[in-house]
Amino acid sequence: MTIRIAYVIHKPRIGGAELHLLEVLKCLDPQRFTPLLVFLGHGQREPLYEKYRETGVEIVNLGMPDGVFRLTNVTKLRLLVRLLKAKRIDIVHGYLMEGNLLSSLAGFIAGVRIRITSKRSLERYNRKQLLVVKLSNLLSHKVTVVSNAVSQFVQEFEACPATKIAVIPNGVHPNIDSADAGDHADFRQYLAIPKDAFVVGTVARFGWKKGYEYFVQAAAMVARELPSVRFVGLGDGPLKQEIEALADRLGVSDHVVFPGWERDVRQKVALFDVYLCTSIIEGMSNALLEAMAERRPVIATAVGGNRETVRDGVTGYLVPPADPAALARRILELAGDPQLAERMGRAGRASVLEDYSVDRMMARMEDLYSSLIERDTRLQTHEGMSP
């Protein structure tokens, strides 16, 4: 018998948690586990939905509107409870705030054997949100986190005991089908990037957490010293127009390109000479790991999981958050020393191979699932034998 797991998330927008879960569903061992994917909202309307469908995993859309914490959604909660019972789910695993709360609550009501929530960020909450996350932690048997930084944060701010936390870092594929020189040339032409340009890039959603304003401010500083530089920000989100307007005000629109979300992002990352992560808060960046896997030297803010994945001076540089001048100095240093950039790129790939491969991530997740089920089985057996 396989272990039946229900994964619960609000909707498949483009984001770190959603892309991580997509990878999990692709790689989960079908001989040991049978997954079910539950979108609390209208998953069919979101950009990653077809990617999820391609995994072949059964998908259920509950159709909750945005703003999950509505009294009218009690009916949807009851549907989730009935679904977990009908599918005889062994483990329910939630993602993000809504998924964590409703999966743990429905799982508790349905009597699901193992309830897991996951934390991927260092975002602080208002009073209402804090009550929500504490409740989901309380109802869970385990809380998975992507870095030691997130573990410490969850213990300190959410009062979650360390014994309940399992650290499972993100993982990426060390090898993919890389784009060839022709593809790179086509992409440069599509973005109007000169052949001799030094390209600095990032992949991130346009939200406040990612610090895109510092990406643009650094671009303005570097462009004064290195006119051939081009900055590329791949992604989309609510602040995209605001950041584009900032580039225009700073007079660097000719040096900065924001093409939106691109397919085959990993292949596009190989176009960059330097990868930049300007996050204000960061649990652990998948895109940063993918850049390292592609032998790109990286410059990242010294926040959260970045301090664990980047070895300062070895695989790249760590700089203070919200400090575009520090970003600019390191970019110019790497632009002026190709051999240093190459050494850092090689060291970054070696680090990914050792600690952050998708195989290692999946082994940790699957071992956690199996160990929790085995422990629960032993407890039930012991209770059944008790007089």
Side-chain angles (χ1 to χ4, degrees), residues 24 117 150 153 211 230 238 306 313 315 326 328:
V24 168
T117 53
V150 176
F153 180 87
R230 292 295 184 272
N306 289 352
T315 62

Side-chain angles (χ1 to χ4, degrees), residues 2 49 64 70 81 117 149 194 217 242 252 294 319 367 385:
T2 60
Y49 189 73
M64 287 184 178
R70 298 180 181 182
V81 171
T117 53
Q217 290 166 10
E242 182 179 320
V252 289
E294 287 295 316
V319 301
D367 287 348
M385 294 174 62

